[in-house]
Amino acid sequence: MIPQPFLVRREHRARTIESDEVRTHIDPGLGREAYVLDRSDSGVDLTAGSEAGLFYGLRTLDQLPPDAHVHIEDAPRFAWRGVLLDVARHFMPVPDLLRFLDLLAFHKLNVLHLHLTDDQGWRIEVPGRPRLTSVGAWRSESMRGSRIHNLYDGRPHGGFYTTGELREIVAYAADRHITVVPEIDMPGHMQAAIAAYPELGNGFTGPVRTAWGISTHVLNLEPATLDFCREVLDHVCDIFPSPLIGIGGDECPADEWPGGRELQVAFTAAMAAHLASRGRRVYGWDEILAGGAPPGAVIAAWRGEEPAAVAIRAGHQVVACPDVKLYLDYRQSDDPGEPTPVGTLLTLEDVYAYEPPSSPLVLGCQANLWTEHMESLRRVEYMAFPRLCAFAEVVWSRTERDFADFSARLPAHLARLDAMGVNYRPLTGPRPSDGRPDAPGNPRTLASRLAELHEMTADLR
Ligand code: ACM
């Protein structure tokens, strides 16, 4: 035996690639993301509507057994195949974020909704506003487990992305045909910014929030504060080419405002007008429907399934991400060994069965990864996979789906994830080391959550 080097020899790689030489062609007559893939003894022909289609054809080729002869005509069902990653609750270092983008691309997903700011941390450097990152990016400790337990870890946490790093993330995503849609959550979920610049708030002078849950310390809506928001959005537009810019708008308590919740409508309109002046549109949570969302705003419909219908009736384009169907921070089983079980039970089969409302206004769907209970990429991978594999099929494939058939195909795909070292949740359940007995959860029943959502969305009825 001749010992082999740890890394595959270059000549071996070259030969492998050569044996599966791909002849690529662009045919603008095909849809932008569509492709036709033929593999026979004479090699591989891949024709696509654009570079994106070629990219997806190659991802399919990745999955084919070496000797398979195929003719595949394929195109995605939805233009928006998204995942939200919350880097505010737990900061994710750049290399981990790039790896996460690789995993999205491998699943033909094409939008990363990057939740950059929240009460518990501000993650984007903004020129001229140094305290946003010197103060707002750091908290003294983090809550451990669900908020009902009121436990803390006593350990500082933080981090932020420089402008250069964000440009690298955007470019890395673009190379993989992923659009990064940034979100600056406003006018609520702003305690980290207010901790940095108390003049943005309503008298609050405390630190970045250490507890999970929603802060009542929100932006004041004075002209200087609106100017601050415009300045931040200008910087965001300079970095992110996305036609849609997230301005959040969810869960904004009005306790500190003299005029009540109606003030948010004017705030959202002002931000929409500013983004329009930059050629961009608002992407906002469904709370911005209350009192009327700005024309052209795209709605991330999350509070159960009703808001999507409301948005469609109002003529808005919608990204469906109902929490009880697509929140991947929710527990994957009722096994007591699941890490920090929160929300309602959301199994692999549940995600696979999800269907958004049928309407031309539905751009697609989005699975949301809120990271209160995921302090590392390893934890994110556990919660994301294999449910994100099921989600990928929901948004890529046609309406008819058969879970038994998916389940039969999944093990071969999990072997690919094994090869990439992905820490997916085993189909047999959590391993002992996946549990977080030190970070207890708060599992909910579907009935109680649906009742709560019905109450929360009263403002839309
Ligand atoms: C959300 O889950 N607050 C959008």
Side-chain angles (χ1 to χ4, degrees):
M1 291 276 288
I2 300 165
Q4 297 294 307
F6 175 66
L7 290 172
V8 177
R9 285 179 192 280
R10 279 190 77 83
E11 60 270 31
H12 290 183
R13 267 184 70 80
R15 206 172 307 136
T16 311
I17 291 164
E18 203 180 309
S19 71
D20 222 5
E21 191 191 333
V22 182
R23 295 178 290 266
T24 60
H25 323 270
I26 298 281
D27 174 359
L30 290 172
R32 202 183 68 78
E33 296 185 302
Y35 68 89
V36 178
L37 177 65
D38 283 287
R39 186 157 76 176
S40 65
D41 289 335
S42 65
V44 177
D45 280 285
L46 176 59
T47 306
S50 73
E51 290 292 328
L54 291 180
F55 184 81
Y56 297 128
L58 291 173
R59 300 292 73 74
T60 297
L61 195 58
D62 286 342
Q63 298 188 15
L64 292 176
D67 50 354
H69 287 188
V70 294
H71 171 80
I72 294 173
E73 298 180 15
D74 195 14
R77 180 176 171 210
F78 289 113
W80 188 295
R81 305 182 298 280
V83 173
L84 172 141
L85 184 65
D86 169 13
V87 292
R89 269 53 173 269
H90 278 104
F91 176 66
M92 188 179 284
V94 175
D96 289 354
L97 192 45
L98 301 186
R99 152 136 171 136
F100 188 68
L101 284 164
D102 277 332
L103 294 176
L104 299 192
F106 190 64
H107 290 83
K108 302 189 177 103
L109 301 171
N110 69 346
V111 175
L112 174 66
H113 174 173
L114 197 57
H115 183 76
L116 282 165
T117 65
D118 215 304
D119 296 319
Q120 295 85 1
W122 182 281
R123 308 282 172 232
I124 169 175
E125 174 186 60
V126 177
R129 300 283 181 168
R131 288 177 59 84
L132 286 174
T133 41
S134 66
V135 174
W138 308 95
R139 60 178 183 256
S140 59
E141 59 179 348
S142 305
M143 187 168 254
R144 183 159 52 80
S146 163
R147 60 181 173 270
I148 62 164
H149 306 287
N150 207 34
L151 298 169
Y152 291 84
D153 67 2
R155 192 174 56 172
H157 176 82
F160 64 91
Y161 305 109
T162 65
T163 300
E165 287 171 335
L166 288 169
R167 290 195 199 286
E168 180 187 0
I169 289 161
V170 167
Y172 195 89
D175 278 349
R176 288 151 185 77
H177 302 279
I178 295 172
T179 302
V180 182
V181 178
E183 180 191 349
I184 306 295
D185 204 345
M186 53 175 88
H189 287 279
M190 267 282 176
Q191 186 173 318
I194 296 165
Y197 293 103
E199 63 269 27
L200 299 171
N202 302 281
F204 175 74
T205 54
V208 174
R209 188 174 168 92
T210 56
W212 310 133
I214 306 163
S215 172
T216 54
H217 304 303
V218 304
L219 294 181
N220 64 51
L221 301 179
E222 290 162 17
T225 300
L226 267 63
D227 283 344
F228 163 83
C229 294
R230 293 187 190 100
E231 192 184 315
V232 172
L233 290 178
D234 280 342
H235 180 58
V236 165
C237 288
D238 286 344
I239 296 174
F240 297 91
S242 166
L244 292 170
I245 301 290
I247 62 161
D250 59 323
E251 301 174 320
C252 181
D255 312 43
E256 292 184 340
W257 289 343
R261 281 190 61 82
E262 314 78 67
L263 291 176
Q264 194 178 338
V265 178
F267 172 85
T268 305
M271 293 306 117
H274 188 68
L275 287 174
S277 77
R278 307 268 325 214
R280 313 295 181 95
R281 287 197 288 157
V282 160
Y283 184 47
W285 298 111
D286 61 57
E287 280 90 337
I288 70 169
L289 290 167
V298 175
I299 306 299
W302 75 276
R303 290 180 295 172
E305 300 202 74
E306 200 180 336
V310 173
I312 291 164
R313 280 202 297 279
H316 289 283
Q317 289 181 317
V318 173
V319 174
C321 50
D323 70 334
V324 292
K325 305 283 186 177
L326 293 178
Y327 268 32
L328 301 187
D329 54 326
Y330 286 11
R331 66 194 195 272
Q332 310 193 55
S333 80
D334 275 329
D335 188 311
E338 292 291 358
T340 316
V342 295
T344 57
L345 176 62
L346 187 62
T347 66
L348 178 66
E349 186 164 5
D350 293 334
V351 172
Y352 194 72
Y354 177 63
E355 265 301 297
S358 175
S359 162
L361 290 173
V362 173
L363 292 178
C365 314
Q366 184 174 290
N368 292 348
L369 280 156
W370 300 103
T371 60
E372 285 92 336
H373 311 298
M374 296 169 226
E375 76 292 354
S376 65
L377 176 62
R378 219 179 134 69
R379 291 275 172 206
V380 168
E381 289 180 352
Y382 179 92
M383 297 308 283
F385 297 102
R387 290 185 294 186
L388 214 46
C389 311
F391 175 76
E393 203 152 295
V394 170
V395 286
W396 184 278
S397 306
R398 279 174 286 282
T399 346
E400 311 82 48
R401 287 188 300 278
D402 174 355
F403 185 67
D405 179 63
F406 172 76
S407 300
R409 286 180 282 115
L410 187 57
H413 187 69
L414 294 181
R416 292 177 199 117
L417 298 189
D418 279 326
M420 292 187 277
V422 176
N423 184 45
Y424 61 85
R425 177 189 180 275
L427 295 174
T428 47
R431 296 151 295 203
S433 61
D434 294 320
R436 286 296 306 272
D438 59 322
N442 178 28
R444 308 281 306 277
T445 65
L446 185 59
S448 78
R449 181 60 181 159
L450 290 178
E452 189 174 73
L453 287 166
H454 189 72
E455 212 165 286
M456 280 165 70
T457 51
D459 55 355
L460 302 185
R461 287 188 286 274

